[in-house]
Amino acid sequence: TLVHSVGGWGALAGVILLGPRLGKYVGGKAKPILGHSMPLATIGVFLLWLGWFGFNGGSVLSADPGLVSLTLVTTSLAAAAGGVAAAIASVIFLKKPDLSMALNGILAGLVGITAGADQMAAMSSIIIGLIAGVLVVVSVLFLDKLKLDDPVGAISVHLVCGIWGTLAVGLFGA
């Protein structure tokens, strides 16, 4: 909760202080400014997914193999569900698949499960990831309507899905 909240609120403050990039909002509409390399972005997300196993698995603070294994399974299930949900949500809301939304959906699932990764059942982690994946897409579109230019979706991933993950501990935690 603390890590993602600090990142999300910091990103929001930066976006407000810096303002939008030149050419982002033209004629009252948000114009996408694409990244230079989606393959590199994809590799980066997969490296983060791999690193998250160390973060969540180490956060258990014990050498209990059962608890660490549960944490690793819930982490991966939530990430996969978040990616799938964001991909489907991008088709529904944007009328086309969007790789950057799917990648942010993976990160959203990871953020969403982090607070309670050691307390969730497998099915609960999938539900948490699915909801986080949809939330990240809706949040990105909402921030664009507010003309808040978040180039990498840090507010949506860390703040919005971090809040969701914290609430999910109370809703789904064992």
Side-chain angles (χ1 to χ4, degrees):
T1 301
L2 181 62
V3 170
H4 296 297
S5 185
V6 169
W9 288 111
L12 180 60
V15 162
I16 291 169
L17 287 173
L18 292 174
R21 294 168 287 170
L22 296 176
K24 174 65 179 177
Y25 301 107
V26 179
K29 290 190 175 189
K31 179 183 172 196
I33 301 174
L34 303 176
H36 77 286
S37 176
M38 290 312 291
L40 283 178
T42 304
I43 290 169
V45 168
F46 287 140
L47 286 171
L48 281 168
W49 191 342
L50 179 64
W52 228 281
F53 291 128
F55 181 73
N56 280 358
S59 294
V60 175
L61 298 177
S62 77
D64 178 10
L67 196 53
V68 172
S69 297
L70 173 68
T71 301
L72 300 180
V73 168
T74 58
T75 298
S76 195
L77 287 174
V84 169
I88 292 169
S90 70
V91 170
I92 291 169
F93 294 120
L94 302 172
K95 308 298 184 222
K96 62 181 177 140
D98 187 333
L99 177 60
S100 66
M101 289 290 194
L103 294 174
N104 270 342
I106 291 170
L107 296 176
L110 289 167
V111 168
I113 198 63
T114 295
D118 62 335
Q119 301 173 32
M120 302 300 163
M123 196 59 191
S124 296
S125 67
I126 292 170
I127 293 168
I128 290 166
L130 289 170
I131 293 171
V134 172
L135 277 175
V136 77
V137 173
V138 170
S139 176
V140 165
L141 296 174
F142 180 69
L143 290 173
D144 268 344
K145 286 202 182 303
L146 296 177
K147 296 188 178 178
L148 293 173
D149 182 18
D150 183 7
V152 296
I155 298 166
S156 300
V157 169
H158 290 285
L159 184 58
V160 173
C161 293
I163 290 169
W164 160 241
T166 303
L167 295 172
V169 173
L171 295 172
F172 296 97

